[in-house]
Amino acid sequence: MTDLPIHSAPDDAAGLPARAAALDLLTAALGGRAGMDEGLSHPTLAALTGRDRAFARALVMATLRHLGPIDAALQARVKKAPPDKVVQILRLGVAQAFVLMTPAHAAVGTSVDLVAQDKGLAMFKGLVNAVLRGLLREPPRLDDPELLAPSWLYARWRAAFGAGEALKVAAMIAEEPATDLSLKDPAQAEALAAELEAVALPGGSLRTERRGDVATWPGFAEGGWWVQDAAAAIPARLLDAKPSQTALDMCAAPGGKTMQLAATGAQVVAVDRSPARLKRVAENLARLGLTAETIAADAATLPDKRTFDAVLLDAPCSATGTFRRHPDVLWAAKPSDVAGLAAVQSKLLDAAARRLKSGGRLVYCVCSLEPEEGEGQVAAFLGRTPGMALDPIAAGEGGAPAPSVRPDGTLRILPHHIEGGLDGFYVARFRKA
């Protein structure tokens, strides 16, 4: 991460290239799934200095984390929607003024200048100026939890978790998260915590408020740790792989769980359908001095017939639980995504059961808040798969928050279940008779 403190934002015309890059990045982020990742490689962002590039990214993240309330404030002042580019500029202007606390003259002036750069939009300079100055006179509320998520998603969360829990989930959208780290050697936790100014979390993750390039942090070059959300680290711990055992990570990229399994000493096979993403897994393993066999293939139809003592399936999903670090997923997701992904998860679960030895353990997880991808998926799997039974997870096991444990022993991790937050996850553990 390279986000800068809010007081370091450029506040004069010299910062216009940073705003232009932020405009490109925001447009990409809202253009569809993976848009944010694609936008980060945009030439206008790459051309910036490190400080301005960090500001552009911080501005886009602030906009995405408050997009619902920002749009509500704009809709109250703009009777007829202007072109999409103007809307994006207004969104960035509001985020500058009321989230990053950029000086008012810079937030308004650079927004007007961005419109002026496009000759076809010059007629909207007055609108941008008037709307932003009007909001400065009557500041909007940008922290209303009921507006922070898209309305269709918030309605789903209310139905799934109840009104009170849905409010707590949505309130986390506006919060900028700390950085969580998983350790190669748990014995180094105390020393690394001191060097990284970090605190230890239940389960063994470290959490630090540090900012900047993680490659420069103590212990990175030595392969002592990797970045991994505290919730994402729980499933591999629950698999409890042993040095003498074989373990399969079915959808391995970006590799955090593969590294956890490899660090146990187990013989690990990591599968992912993307050769490029699997290459990154191999590079991370090499940095940490860990080994795993990597296979580029679709895990659902893998021709390799080996069976394993332990299988981990972190299935492709809507990823709505990752909004703390990836707020763009909320706005890129569509209701139809959930049903389509649930069908993929079903096939992968069946394939995972076939890969498991008798007496073996299977952990299924998704970084999704949607019941069809979690509770519903597990109920259907148990109904069609004789010989598979739930292996209940206890509170605290692997770092599992006590409020996350369901009556059946599966985990429904909600982002507010620990102080400071964590990703939303669903986790179930099975044992094969």
Side-chain angles (χ1 to χ4, degrees):
M1 294 178 65
T2 53
D3 292 2
L4 292 178
I6 58 174
H7 57 72
S8 62
D11 60 2
D12 54 28
L16 192 59
R19 271 78 170 192
L23 176 59
D24 289 334
L25 182 55
L26 180 62
T27 302
L30 295 175
R33 297 185 71 86
M36 186 75 172
D37 289 341
E38 293 172 7
L40 287 170
S41 61
H42 197 284
T44 56
L45 199 67
L48 298 176
T49 64
R51 182 174 180 272
D52 280 0
R53 187 164 56 250
F55 170 71
R57 184 182 181 279
L59 173 54
V60 171
M61 294 297 279
T63 305
L64 291 169
R65 288 191 175 111
H66 300 83
L67 188 60
I70 287 173
D71 281 356
L74 291 174
Q75 288 163 8
R77 289 185 171 271
V78 180
K79 294 182 179 179
K80 183 180 179 181
D84 184 66
K85 187 173 182 179
V86 176
V87 173
Q88 307 291 30
I89 291 170
L90 283 168
R91 287 167 166 167
L92 292 171
V94 176
Q96 287 181 73
F98 300 107
V99 183
L100 298 190
M101 301 304 177
T102 304
H105 73 275
V108 176
T110 55
S111 298
V112 172
D113 290 343
L114 275 180
V115 176
Q117 282 187 334
D118 188 325
K119 292 181 180 179
L121 300 177
M123 67 185 73
F124 293 99
K125 289 192 299 182
L127 172 71
V128 170
N129 183 67
V131 169
L132 293 179
R133 291 194 178 281
L135 289 171
L136 285 165
R137 288 191 296 271
E138 300 178 35
R141 180 188 172 191
L142 299 185
D143 61 350
D144 183 350
E146 294 194 39
L147 295 178
L148 286 170
S151 58
W152 70 272
L153 266 178
Y154 186 70
R156 288 177 62 88
W157 298 346
R158 280 178 60 100
F161 313 126
E165 291 293 272
L167 274 176
K168 292 176 184 177
V169 170
M172 299 296 297
I173 296 171
E175 301 296 324
E176 183 178 355
T179 300
D180 296 342
L181 311 174
S182 290
L183 307 185
K184 176 183 175 182
D185 181 3
Q188 298 298 311
E190 186 174 348
L192 284 170
E195 290 186 278
L196 293 162
E197 303 169 282
V199 296
L201 299 178
S205 296
L206 296 184
R207 173 165 290 180
T208 178
E209 298 290 343
R210 274 179 173 249
R211 301 293 174 194
D213 183 359
V214 297
T216 66
W217 294 3
F220 180 88
E222 297 79 11
W225 51 264
W226 60 94
V227 176
Q228 185 178 29
D229 188 85
I234 292 172
R237 296 193 196 115
L238 295 175
L239 199 58
D240 194 27
K242 306 295 185 186
S244 60
Q245 295 181 331
T246 56
L248 173 65
D249 188 357
M250 289 184 65
C251 300
K257 297 175 181 65
T258 298
M259 290 183 278
Q260 285 181 277
L261 295 174
T264 69
Q267 302 169 49
V268 181
V269 175
V271 178
D272 198 273
R273 66 186 308 166
S274 168
R277 283 163 58 85
L278 202 59
K279 181 182 178 182
R280 183 180 172 192
V281 174
E283 290 169 350
N284 285 329
L285 285 165
R287 178 177 68 83
L288 274 87
L290 297 171
T291 59
E293 179 185 349
T294 57
I295 300 175
D298 183 342
T301 57
L302 183 66
D304 190 319
K305 300 302 182 184
R306 283 176 290 180
T307 56
F308 299 82
D309 299 300
V311 175
L312 177 61
L313 172 56
D314 183 0
C317 68
S318 61
T320 52
T322 68
F323 62 69
R324 294 166 58 252
R325 303 180 199 282
H326 306 286
D328 52 305
V329 302
L330 299 176
W331 304 99
K334 302 185 295 294
S336 59
D337 292 343
V338 176
L341 287 162
V344 174
Q345 293 149 11
S346 178
K347 291 179 181 178
L348 286 166
L349 262 171
D350 291 343
R354 293 193 296 270
R355 297 292 174 191
L356 198 60
K357 292 180 179 178
S358 295
R361 301 173 307 284
L362 164 64
V363 168
Y364 169 78
C365 64
V366 284
C367 52
S368 166
L369 294 171
E370 314 317 309
E372 296 93 325
E373 300 181 87
E375 294 89 341
Q377 198 64 252
V378 165
F381 173 67
L382 288 171
R384 68 175 182 267
T385 316
M388 295 296 296
L390 282 173
D391 184 3
I393 301 163
E397 188 180 357
S404 306
V405 180
R406 301 179 70 248
D408 63 358
T410 62
L411 300 181
R412 169 52 75 188
I413 302 173
L414 298 181
H416 59 280
H417 276 176
I418 69 169
E419 184 177 355
L422 74 175
D423 281 355
F425 257 83
Y426 179 83
V427 189
R429 183 173 59 193
F430 307 88
R431 190 173 295 272
K432 191 171 187 176

